[in-house]
Amino acid sequence: MAFGLLNDYKKSVVSIIDEYFSTGDVKVAASDLRELGSSEYHPYFTKRLVSMAMDRHDKEKEMASVLLSALYADVILPDQIRDGFIRLLRSVDDLAVDILDAVNVLALFIARAIVDEILPPVFLVRSKKILPESCKGFQVIVTAEKSYLSAPHHAELVEKT
């Protein structure tokens, strides 16, 4: 893995995401990501998209969920989306420094990804096995399960939030 390539990819991804948040054009974002190549770095794109949206308004959070669903399987492989969310779970402690409700916001993103069928429900069980109980990532999984996915009519609740 070339360090320069990853740095170039990271810079390009931020531009693609910023442009997407300002235009809302899913097709352009998908096309730009395809043209970028370096698909082995797509877990980083997933992590970056969600982490950038977490610090913005509900509109951008919704846009991020829509884009992930649109890219799922066609541009970004299911395993890459899963790996991106695992990276997010591992970085929640850092994200929480700047985003006070990071645990709750990421829990909602994960619940939404499960409802949208871009993450399998077993993601929650597997994530609990790899995360220490003391980290905020573990709290995210518990929050997603208890607050969003076990509630009656959880799909409607998650999609309205």
Side-chain angles (χ1 to χ4, degrees), residues 12-13 15-37 45 63 66-67 70-71 74-75:
S12 298
V13 158
S15 298
I16 290 170
I17 295 168
D18 279 335
E19 182 180 337
Y20 171 67
F21 283 154
S22 66
T23 65
D25 194 326
V26 171
K27 287 183 180 168
V28 169
S31 171
D32 288 350
L33 191 58
R34 258 194 218 97
E35 285 176 25
L36 189 56
F45 176 83
M63 290 172 73
V66 168
L67 183 59
L71 298 174
D74 186 34
V75 179

Side-chain angles (χ1 to χ4, degrees), residues 111-124:
R112 173 71 185 264
I114 290 169
V115 169
D116 288 349
E117 298 181 347
I118 63 170
L119 280 179
V122 73
F123 176 83
L124 300 171

